[in-house]
Amino acid sequence: MRGLVKILGACAVIGAGLGWFLTAPDPLDPAFGARLTADPEAGALVFAAGGCVSCHAAPGAEGDDKQVLAGGLAFASDFGTFYAPNISPDPNAGIGAWSLPGFARAVTRGVSPEGQHYYPAFPYAAYQHMQDQDVVNLFAYMQTLPADPTPSKAHDVGFPFNIRRSLGGWKLLFMKDEFVLSGNHSTEMTRGRYLAEGLAHCGECHTPRNALGGLDRSQWLAGAPNPSGKGRIPNITPGKLDWSESDLVAYFATGFTPDYDSAGGEMAEVVSNLAQLPQSDREAIAAYLKAVPAIP
């Protein structure tokens, strides 16, 4: 019996060590972006495509004030309430003291400069697809925005979800680095996939999640319950959305549907972002949405 206890104890120690190793935050090359030249103007388009203002502007901000990324917007979920942090260039409250590699690790790996996992309310599972040049450009653009000293609000998340290390296990299960729409495609489709699955992170809202908060990729863009508890986020696959590509392109630019209704709520923010992109990008997203598997 004593021998069995020792064996079980040894297995527990080994298992704990293996778990600690597997849940460690992903590293990133400390020389990330060193050979790339930043283009803040191009970064402004990445900023718009990524919807940064929609989440990180202070609640109720309007006009130019939306460029002040003071954070504070609440995101309710089954795991607690998350609050968008201050990502303005303030060196204390925001990201003004971050390095480019630290920023890239946060955005594409979901790891803070202090080496902690971020909660996936931050859509890094989508942003992991970002091209290095886009990350460099985005960082350069964000340094040009107004700094704000408002402290970030702590998340309201209880046990066991407040154990940050466990998020490493979540990433192992659900942070897939392959695109949902796999295979080789035309230049336009490849761009649309990059925007829809990466920068614009459409799946984060329009795809249902499992009990652990992971996206059900078999139901990609098939609609999902609204985390606020009000209504449902619609199915935007061809199985339900019968708009033409030109209808989609017009909607992304104006917010008007083919029936002359208009985008509301969070989608109005998305349209505001997409309207800033080149027409070719809106066309690419429309082409992508017409090509994803139809789900009734």
Coordinates of all heavy atoms in Angstrom, one line a residue, residues 77-79 120-123 125 170 174 201-217 219 223-225 227:
S77 N -20.7 37.8 -19.5 CA -20.5 36.4 -20.0 C -20.9 35.4 -19.0 O -21.2 35.8 -17.8 CB -19.1 36.2 -20.4 OG -18.3 35.9 -19.3
D78 N -21.0 34.2 -19.3 CA -21.3 33.1 -18.3 C -20.2 32.9 -17.3 O -20.4 32.2 -16.3 CB -21.5 31.8 -19.1 CG -22.8 31.8 -20.0 OD1 -23.6 32.6 -19.7 OD2 -22.8 31.0 -20.9
F79 N -19.0 33.5 -17.6 CA -17.9 33.3 -16.7 C -17.6 34.5 -15.8 O -16.7 34.5 -15.0 CB -16.6 33.0 -17.5 CG -16.9 31.9 -18.5 CD1 -17.2 32.2 -19.9 CD2 -16.9 30.6 -18.1 CE1 -17.4 31.2 -20.8 CE2 -17.1 29.5 -19.0 CZ -17.4 29.8 -20.3
P120 N -9.9 35.3 -23.1 CA -10.2 35.4 -24.5 C -11.4 36.3 -24.9 O -11.9 36.3 -26.0 CB -10.5 33.9 -24.9 CG -10.9 33.3 -23.6 CD -10.1 34.0 -22.5
A121 N -11.9 37.1 -23.9 CA -12.8 38.2 -24.3 C -12.0 39.1 -25.2 O -12.6 39.8 -26.0 CB -13.2 38.9 -23.0
F122 N -10.7 39.2 -25.1 CA -9.8 39.8 -26.0 C -9.6 38.9 -27.2 O -9.1 37.7 -27.0 CB -8.5 40.1 -25.3 CG -7.4 40.7 -26.1 CD1 -7.6 41.4 -27.3 CD2 -6.1 40.6 -25.7 CE1 -6.6 42.0 -28.0 CE2 -5.0 41.2 -26.4 CZ -5.3 41.9 -27.6
P123 N -10.0 39.2 -28.4 CA -10.1 38.2 -29.5 C -8.7 37.8 -30.1 O -8.6 37.8 -31.3 CB -11.0 38.9 -30.5 CG -10.8 40.3 -30.3 CD -10.6 40.5 -28.8
A125 N -7.5 35.0 -30.3 CA -7.6 33.7 -31.1 C -7.8 34.0 -32.5 O -7.4 33.3 -33.4 CB -8.7 32.9 -30.5
W170 N -7.0 26.4 -21.9 CA -8.1 26.8 -22.9 C -7.5 27.1 -24.2 O -8.0 26.7 -25.3 CB -8.7 28.1 -22.3 CG -9.9 28.6 -23.1 CD1 -11.2 28.3 -22.9 CD2 -9.9 29.4 -24.3 NE1 -12.0 28.9 -23.9 CE2 -11.2 29.5 -24.8 CE3 -8.9 30.0 -25.0 CZ2 -11.5 30.3 -25.9 CZ3 -9.2 30.7 -26.2 CH2 -10.5 30.9 -26.6
F174 N -8.6 25.4 -27.8 CA -9.4 26.2 -28.7 C -8.7 27.2 -29.5 O -9.3 27.8 -30.4 CB -10.5 26.9 -27.9 CG -11.4 25.9 -27.0 CD1 -11.4 26.1 -25.6 CD2 -12.1 24.9 -27.6 CE1 -12.2 25.2 -24.9 CE2 -12.8 24.0 -26.8 CZ -12.9 24.2 -25.5
H201 N -12.6 39.6 -36.9 CA -13.0 38.6 -35.9 C -14.5 38.4 -35.9 O -15.1 38.3 -34.9 CB -12.4 38.9 -34.5 CG -12.7 40.2 -33.9 ND1 -12.0 41.3 -34.2 CD2 -13.7 40.6 -33.0 CE1 -12.5 42.3 -33.5 NE2 -13.5 41.9 -32.8
C202 N -15.1 38.2 -37.1 CA -16.5 38.0 -37.2 C -17.0 36.8 -36.4 O -18.1 36.8 -35.8 CB -16.9 37.8 -38.7 SG -16.4 39.1 -39.8
G203 N -16.2 35.7 -36.4 CA -16.6 34.5 -35.7 C -16.8 34.7 -34.2 O -17.5 33.9 -33.5
E204 N -16.1 35.7 -33.6 CA -16.2 35.8 -32.2 C -17.6 36.1 -31.7 O -18.0 35.8 -30.6 CB -15.3 37.0 -31.7 CG -13.8 36.7 -31.9 CD -13.3 35.6 -31.0 OE1 -13.6 35.6 -29.8 OE2 -12.5 34.7 -31.5
C205 N -18.4 36.8 -32.5 CA -19.8 37.0 -32.2 C -20.8 36.1 -32.9 O -21.8 35.7 -32.3 CB -20.2 38.5 -32.5 SG -19.4 39.7 -31.5
H206 N -20.5 35.8 -34.1 CA -21.5 35.1 -35.0 C -21.4 33.6 -34.9 O -22.2 32.9 -35.6 CB -21.4 35.5 -36.4 CG -21.9 36.9 -36.6 ND1 -23.2 37.2 -36.8 CD2 -21.3 38.1 -36.7 CE1 -23.4 38.5 -37.0 NE2 -22.2 39.1 -36.9
T207 N -20.5 33.0 -34.1 CA -20.3 31.6 -34.0 C -20.7 31.1 -32.6 O -20.2 31.8 -31.6 CB -18.9 31.2 -34.3 OG1 -18.6 31.5 -35.7 CG2 -18.7 29.6 -34.2
P208 N -21.5 30.1 -32.4 CA -21.8 29.6 -31.0 C -20.6 29.1 -30.3 O -19.6 28.6 -30.9 CB -22.9 28.6 -31.2 CG -22.6 28.1 -32.6 CD -22.1 29.2 -33.4
R209 N -20.7 29.1 -29.0 CA -19.6 28.6 -28.1 C -20.0 27.4 -27.3 O -21.2 27.2 -27.1 CB -19.1 29.7 -27.2 CG -18.5 30.9 -27.9 CD -18.1 32.0 -27.0 NE -17.6 33.1 -27.7 CZ -16.3 33.3 -28.0 NH1 -15.4 32.4 -27.7 NH2 -15.9 34.3 -28.7
N210 N -19.0 26.6 -26.9 CA -19.4 25.4 -26.1 C -19.3 25.8 -24.6 O -19.2 27.0 -24.3 CB -18.4 24.3 -26.4 CG -16.9 24.7 -26.1 OD1 -16.6 25.5 -25.3 ND2 -16.0 24.1 -26.9
A211 N -19.5 24.8 -23.7 CA -19.6 25.1 -22.3 C -18.3 25.8 -21.7 O -18.4 26.5 -20.7 CB -19.9 23.8 -21.5
L212 N -17.2 25.6 -22.4 CA -15.9 26.2 -21.9 C -15.6 27.5 -22.6 O -14.5 28.1 -22.4 CB -14.8 25.2 -22.1 CG -14.8 24.0 -21.3 CD1 -13.7 23.0 -21.6 CD2 -14.9 24.3 -19.8
G213 N -16.5 28.0 -23.5 CA -16.3 29.3 -24.1 C -15.5 29.2 -25.4 O -15.2 30.2 -26.0
G214 N -15.3 28.0 -25.9 CA -14.6 27.8 -27.2 C -15.6 27.9 -28.3 O -16.7 27.5 -28.2
L215 N -15.1 28.4 -29.5 CA -16.0 28.5 -30.6 C -16.2 27.1 -31.2 O -15.3 26.3 -31.4 CB -15.3 29.4 -31.7 CG -15.2 30.9 -31.3 CD1 -14.4 31.6 -32.5 CD2 -16.5 31.5 -31.1
D216 N -17.5 26.9 -31.6 CA -17.9 25.6 -32.2 C -17.7 25.8 -33.7 O -18.5 26.3 -34.5 CB -19.3 25.3 -31.9 CG -19.8 24.0 -32.6 OD1 -19.0 23.4 -33.4 OD2 -21.0 23.6 -32.4
R217 N -16.5 25.5 -34.2 CA -16.1 25.7 -35.6 C -16.9 25.0 -36.6 O -17.0 25.3 -37.8 CB -14.6 25.5 -35.8 CG -13.7 26.5 -35.1 CD -12.3 26.0 -34.8 NE -11.6 25.8 -36.0 CZ -10.7 26.7 -36.6 NH1 -10.5 27.8 -36.0 NH2 -10.0 26.4 -37.7
Q219 N -20.0 25.0 -36.5 CA -21.2 25.9 -36.7 C -20.7 27.3 -37.1 O -21.3 28.3 -36.6 CB -22.1 25.9 -35.5 CG -22.7 24.6 -35.2 CD -23.8 24.3 -36.2 OE1 -24.7 25.1 -36.4 NE2 -23.7 23.1 -36.8
G223 N -24.6 31.9 -36.2 CA -25.4 32.6 -35.2 C -25.2 32.1 -33.8 O -24.7 30.9 -33.6
A224 N -25.5 32.9 -32.8 CA -25.2 32.6 -31.4 C -26.0 33.4 -30.5 O -26.5 34.5 -30.9 CB -23.7 32.8 -31.1
P225 N -26.2 32.9 -29.3 CA -27.0 33.8 -28.3 C -26.2 35.0 -28.0 O -25.0 35.0 -28.0 CB -27.0 32.9 -27.0 CG -26.8 31.5 -27.5 CD -25.9 31.6 -28.7
P227 N -24.5 37.5 -25.7 CA -24.0 37.4 -24.3 C -24.8 38.3 -23.3 O -24.8 38.1 -22.1 CB -22.6 37.8 -24.4 CG -22.2 37.5 -25.8 CD -23.4 37.8 -26.6

